[in-house]
């Protein structure tokens, strides 16, 4: 079912509107901020905090995907490119009411010289990526990072990376999601890069003969 | 027109939930270690056979449907034909223990699904199959959860019911319930809220007798 990006936008919009219980954005941002502060106090190592945030995000993502699938009724994406579109236009929209822009990329692993000259790599091969550029980040509404956090390498909204990884793993895609840049760190844009590691095989029951 | 039973399988091919409403033969409790804890109180191996704990104690076992010669569900080794009308522990039990029964049901579903996908392509969905005594309906989510329902052969497709269970009780009381471990290989998802709300939902249907 070839759904255009416009249709995805509409679906995302409807899902957002149809959601019965919405949380106050300020409460959400403040709670998340308090969470990060607490983690920093507990671990005192920014790398570790990043990892913990990612782990928490992973646990959230594994459940969030069920909510998403149950409400959105979207079918399986044809390729990783479409996955990126759906994540940005329907996923983020229906949960956070933001629509990050997507840029696709990723070279095939064994790129022959002729192939690399064409602009569109095969998007289903592991190694395919898409990058989400967030114009606004509801988690970082009132946030300013201190010097130490900047030097320590804290990615404030790293929980989002975990959510993406957890959610996509439940639908048989193993991905890595990392922040590339963050306005909180002084960069120009906030970008998350999602790379497909591999498609997971469906499990078969253990044969007992 | 009635509904016999419901099985839920997760993406690790294990049965995580079981509930029944009408069965001509009770499921035999599983062998030790055969099924995960928290699948169904009824079929979990216990020293005292507590077979009436969750099933409907009203006159299901003396209803006219008992004239059916085979039990609900799958190929069953028919041991004896006792029809006791009083709900007491020595009830007619199916010859298979529950874990074997669940595995067989899953095997049927999986094999049919795979065959159909090979025959017609990845977009084809296995919906239901019918035998002379029951009809088996399947709803599968992209995240690998399989909802299997057995009903009488004259029922219309109950996929929408399974979908409603997924977006209703399952989402509310399993996905959003932090006390229920999803995707664990060690526990099922049985909990009081989920059981009662699915029960209520099913009993409220027009197809339920």
């Amino acid at each position: 079912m070839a759904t255009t990006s416009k249709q995805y936008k509409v679906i995302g919009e409807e899902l957002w509107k149809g959601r019965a219980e919405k949380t106050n954005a300020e409460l959400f941002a403040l709670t998340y901020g308090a969470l990060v502060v607490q983690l920093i106090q507990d671990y005192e190592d920014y790398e570790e905090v990043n990892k913990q945030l990612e782990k928490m995000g992973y646990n959230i993502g594994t459940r969030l995907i069920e909510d998403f699938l149950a409400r959105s009724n979207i079918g399986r994406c044809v390729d990783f490119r479409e996955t990126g579109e759906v994540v940005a236009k329907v996923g983020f929209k229906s949960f956070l009411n933001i629509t990050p822009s997507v840029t696709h990329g990723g070279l095939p692993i064994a790129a022959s010289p002729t192939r690399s000259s064409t602009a569109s790599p095969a998007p289903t091969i592991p190694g395919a990526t898409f990058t989400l550029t967030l114009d606004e980040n509801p988690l970082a509404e009132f946030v300013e990072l201190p010097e130490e956090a900047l030097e320590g390498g804290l990615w404030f909204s790293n929980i989002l990376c975990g959510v993406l990884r957890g959610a996509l793993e439940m639908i048989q895609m193993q991905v890595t999601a990392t922040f590339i840049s963050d306005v909180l760190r002084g960069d120009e844009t906030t970008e998350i890069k999602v790379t497909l590691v591999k498609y997971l095989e469906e499990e078969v029951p253990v044969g007992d003969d | 027109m009635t509904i016999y039973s419901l099985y839920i399988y997760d993406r690790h091919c294990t049965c995580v939930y079981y509930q029944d409403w009408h069965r001509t033969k009770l499921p035999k409790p599983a062998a030790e270690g055969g099924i995960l804890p928290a699948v169904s109180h009824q079929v979990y191996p216990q020293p005292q056979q507590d077979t009436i704990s969750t099933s409907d104690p009203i006159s299901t076992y003396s209803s006219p449907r008992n004239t059916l010669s085979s039990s609900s569900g799958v190929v069953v080794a028919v041991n004896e034909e006792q029809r006791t009308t009083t709900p007491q522990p020595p009830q007619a039990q199916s010859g298979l223990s529950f874990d074997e029964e669940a595995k067989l049901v899953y095997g049927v579903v999986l094999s049919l699904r795979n065959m159909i996908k090979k025959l017609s392509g990845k977009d084809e969905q296995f919906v239901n199959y019918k035998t002379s005594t029951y009809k088996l309906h399947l709803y599968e989510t992209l995240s690998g959860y399989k909802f299997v329902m057995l009903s009488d052969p004259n029922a219309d497709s109950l996929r929408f019911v399974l979908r409603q269970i997924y977006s209703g009780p399952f989402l509310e009381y399993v996905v959003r319930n932090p006390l229920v471990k999803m995707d664990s290989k060690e526990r099922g998802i049985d909990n009081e809220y989920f059981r009662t709300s699915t029960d209520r939902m099913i009993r409220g249907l027009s197809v339920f007798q």
Side-chain angles (χ1 to χ4, degrees):
Chain A
M1 170 175 84
T3 330
T4 63
S5 73
K6 218 183 200 180
Q7 283 172 303
Y8 282 138
K9 281 203 181 120
V10 169
I11 297 175
E13 192 61 53
E14 278 173 20
L15 278 176
W16 169 252
K17 292 215 187 101
R19 202 165 273 282
E21 351 142 326
K22 296 190 179 74
T23 318
N24 180 307
E26 276 116 29
L27 178 65
F28 183 56
L30 292 173
T31 311
Y32 183 68
L35 172 76
V36 178
V37 165
Q38 190 62 49
L39 281 174
I40 295 174
Q41 283 175 358
D42 288 343
Y43 287 101
E44 289 178 10
D45 169 30
Y46 291 103
E47 266 315 308
E48 194 57 40
V49 172
N50 284 341
K51 258 193 249 156
Q52 288 302 319
L53 282 173
E54 213 267 349
K55 211 162 88 157
M56 291 163 94
Y58 178 82
N59 291 330
I60 295 177
T62 55
R63 295 188 182 232
L64 200 77
I65 185 72
E66 304 288 343
D67 191 306
F68 180 72
L69 289 174
R71 285 179 207 254
S72 72
N73 213 356
I74 285 193
R76 193 168 276 284
C77 290
V78 173
D79 53 24
F80 198 59
R81 185 194 192 83
E82 197 177 338
T83 307
E85 295 285 321
V86 173
V87 163
K89 299 199 168 67
V90 192
F92 270 84
K93 178 71 182 171
S94 63
F95 288 112
L96 294 174
N97 200 21
I98 56 175
T99 315
S101 47
V102 202
T103 29
H104 302 276
L107 296 170
I109 294 178
S112 62
T114 46
R115 177 86 78 93
S116 53
S117 60
T118 57
S120 56
T124 47
I125 296 181
T129 70
F130 63 84
T131 309
L132 299 164
T133 311
L134 285 77
D135 303 317
E136 41 165 338
N137 184 356
L139 294 172
E141 263 314 291
F142 310 113
V143 178
E144 233 178 63
L145 291 183
E147 270 302 317
E148 324 181 298
L150 292 171
E151 282 161 28
L154 175 73
W155 292 116
F156 188 78
S157 319
N158 212 31
I159 206 168
L160 294 176
C161 294
V163 172
L164 287 169
R165 183 171 72 94
L168 291 174
E169 187 166 314
M170 293 295 118
I171 41 179
Q172 311 298 107
M173 282 179 259
Q174 195 186 355
V175 299
T176 50
T178 45
F179 265 93
I180 304 204
S181 61
D182 194 352
V183 273
L184 291 176
R185 282 220 198 170
D187 304 318
E188 295 216 352
T189 50
T190 310
E191 290 185 329
I192 303 179
K193 184 171 184 187
V194 183
T195 317
L196 175 67
V197 173
K198 63 174 177 177
Y199 282 105
L200 297 168
E201 282 304 318
E202 209 186 270
E203 288 182 34
V204 279
V206 181
D208 45 358
D209 35 35
Chain B
M1 283 246 282
T2 188
I3 294 185
Y4 297 151
S5 53
L6 169 73
Y7 299 73
I8 301 181
Y9 296 90
D10 68 1
R11 68 192 192 116
H12 301 295
C13 314
T14 36
C15 184
V16 289
Y17 185 76
Y18 169 74
Q19 190 170 3
D20 63 26
W21 290 272
H22 300 291
R23 268 188 82 134
T24 48
K25 288 202 167 106
L26 289 176
K28 191 160 106 179
E32 278 292 331
I35 59 171
L36 306 175
V39 170
S40 166
H41 196 58
Q42 191 183 2
V43 298
Y44 194 62
Q46 274 163 358
Q48 77 283 20
Q49 277 198 14
D50 205 4
T51 51
I52 313 291
S53 53
T54 51
S55 57
D56 189 9
I58 319 174
S59 56
T60 45
Y61 302 109
S62 49
S63 73
R65 241 175 334 278
N66 273 356
T67 54
L68 293 172
S69 55
S70 71
S71 72
S72 69
V74 300
V75 174
V76 161
V78 176
N79 288 343
E80 43 207 337
E81 286 279 288
Q82 5 161 286
R83 302 264 174 243
T84 47
T85 47
T86 52
Q88 265 173 21
Q91 284 268 338
Q93 280 194 337
S94 74
L96 281 178
S97 66
F98 180 76
D99 60 328
E100 287 173 36
E101 180 184 307
K103 273 194 218 154
L104 277 177
V105 171
Y106 186 75
V108 162
V109 162
L110 192 69
S111 318
L112 281 173
R113 218 178 104 246
N114 292 348
M115 269 196 283
I116 284 168
K117 287 206 165 116
K118 283 211 184 108
L119 270 178
S120 333
K122 284 188 353 166
D123 295 327
E124 196 93 350
Q125 294 257 355
F126 162 54
V127 175
N128 58 44
Y129 77 79
K130 193 161 94 155
T131 72
S132 45
T133 45
Y134 68 89
K135 193 169 188 180
L136 180 146
H137 310 259
L138 169 73
Y139 176 68
E140 187 183 349
T141 71
L142 283 179
S143 50
Y145 277 94
K146 297 169 190 68
F147 293 77
V148 175
M149 181 166 275
L150 274 70
S151 68
D152 76 296
N154 305 318
D156 298 320
S157 177
L158 291 179
R159 248 172 90 91
F160 79 95
V161 173
L162 290 171
R163 227 186 147 250
Q164 276 183 326
I165 295 181
Y166 178 53
S167 8
F170 186 76
L171 207 61
E172 270 307 311
Y173 299 117
V174 177
V175 175
R176 294 194 175 179
N177 186 343
L179 299 174
V180 170
K181 263 173 99 184
M182 282 178 65
D183 210 47
S184 89
K185 303 200 185 175
E186 297 138 26
R187 274 191 81 80
I189 57 175
D190 190 11
N191 66 66
E192 198 191 305
Y193 293 103
F194 182 50
R195 195 163 280 274
T196 37
S197 63
T198 0
D199 194 49
R200 210 181 309 135
M201 174 181 271
I202 298 288
R203 284 181 200 276
L205 291 173
S206 54
V207 295
F208 193 82
Q209 171 249 12

